[in-house]
């Protein structure tokens, strides 16, 4: 079995006060992140999208398999198709599929089946999980097992959302259910499955967000 060669870690030790400052500044910026459901059609530089995806693809992953693909949609007609398919699924879900307790959990957010942001956002990033490796050999297809796909893609998506936010962009973590239509519209191979759909852009000038509360540090952290 091949072994990776080891090289010295590139690590710069920061003075403690710089660490604390950086940590506070990052926290302050991240505390301003919200899910935005009103996105302006105003264009944003593509480099912001590409850099955020570069950042996401640096995330740790099970056995370094990097089981993700980020499909960036900027084409108007593809966005229209995605909106149409998402709204059809969401309408069915809201009106027939979601049990009462799910609808109750969503009620405070004021969301419904309408997804205008899927057409107004300058970019949609569709994150796909690659469930297994697929290579073509003269003998046919070879499959390789992927480990911890869900965890890995979840972490990469977190990196992506943080990077987009830190670049001054608004995002929504959107999971129209079921999401199979994304594989068809975007013509994805059979080893990929949609994970999340992220509209990205600037917020509309009149964008609002629901008043929600985050758990306190005492609720989410335990020290032993
Ligand atoms: C896995 C996941 C799926 C989500 N799916 C949707 C969705 O389909 N539609 C939507 O409007 N918001 C969706 N959200 C956004 C949440 O409603 C939102 O993150 C939550 O209310 C907290 O608000 P905040 O992101 O502004 O802090 C999703 C969030 C996550 C993490």
């Amino acid at each position: 079995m091949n072994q990776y060669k080891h090289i010295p870690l590139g690590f710069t030790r920061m003075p403690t006060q710089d660490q604390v400052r950086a940590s506070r500044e990052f926290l302050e910026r991240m505390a301003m992140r919200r899910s935005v459901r009103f996105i302006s059609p105003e264009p944003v530089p593509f480099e912001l999208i590409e850099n955020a995806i570069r950042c996401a693809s640096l995330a740790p992953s099970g056995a370094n398999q990097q089981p993700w693909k980020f499909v960036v949609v900027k084409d108007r007609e593809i966005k229209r198709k995605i909106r149409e398919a998402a709204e059809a699924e969401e309408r069915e879900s809201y009106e027939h599929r979601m049990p009462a307790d799910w609808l109750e959990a969503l009620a405070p957010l004021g969301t419904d089946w309408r997804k205008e942001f899927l057409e107004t956002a300058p970019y949609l990033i569709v994150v796909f999980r690659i469930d297994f490796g697929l290579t073509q050999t003269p003998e046919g297809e070879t499959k390789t097992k992927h480990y911890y796909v869900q965890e890995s893609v979840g972490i990469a998506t977190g990196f992506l959302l943080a990077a987009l936010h830190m670049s001054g962009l608004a995002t929504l973590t959107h999971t129209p259910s079921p999401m199979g239509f994304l594989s068809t519209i975007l013509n994805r191979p059979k080893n990929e499955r949609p994970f999340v759909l992220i509209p990205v852009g600037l917020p509309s000038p009149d964008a609002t967000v629901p008043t929600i509360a985050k758990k306190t540090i005492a609720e989410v952290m335990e020290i032993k």
Side-chain angles (χ1 to χ4, degrees), residues 30-37 90 94 98 102 105-106 109-112 114-115 117 157 161 171-177 179 195-197 209-210 212-214:
M30 288 304 288
M32 298 300 291
R33 186 210 57 82
R34 290 300 312 273
S35 290
V36 179
R37 298 177 180 86
E90 290 283 272
Y94 274 88
M98 286 173 172
W102 191 348
L106 287 177
L109 298 174
T111 54
D112 63 22
R114 291 176 194 84
K115 307 296 169 192
F117 50 75
T157 301
L161 294 171
T171 59
L172 175 66
T173 311
H174 184 33
T175 45
S177 174
M179 282 196 280
F195 185 75
V196 70
L197 165 53
V209 287
I212 52 164
K214 297 288 177 178

Side-chain angles (χ1 to χ4, degrees), residues 47-63:
E47 188 184 347
L48 304 184
I49 306 296
E50 183 174 318
N51 286 346
I53 292 173
R54 285 178 190 273
C55 182
S57 69
L58 297 172
S61 62

Side-chain angles (χ1 to χ4, degrees), residues 10 13 17 35 49 65 83 89 120 152 163 171 202 212 223:
R13 180 149 183 184
Q17 74 260 36
S35 290
I49 306 296
Q65 286 170 321
R83 176 182 180 184
E89 291 292 6
T120 59
S152 303
T171 59
L202 291 165
I212 52 164
I223 307 171

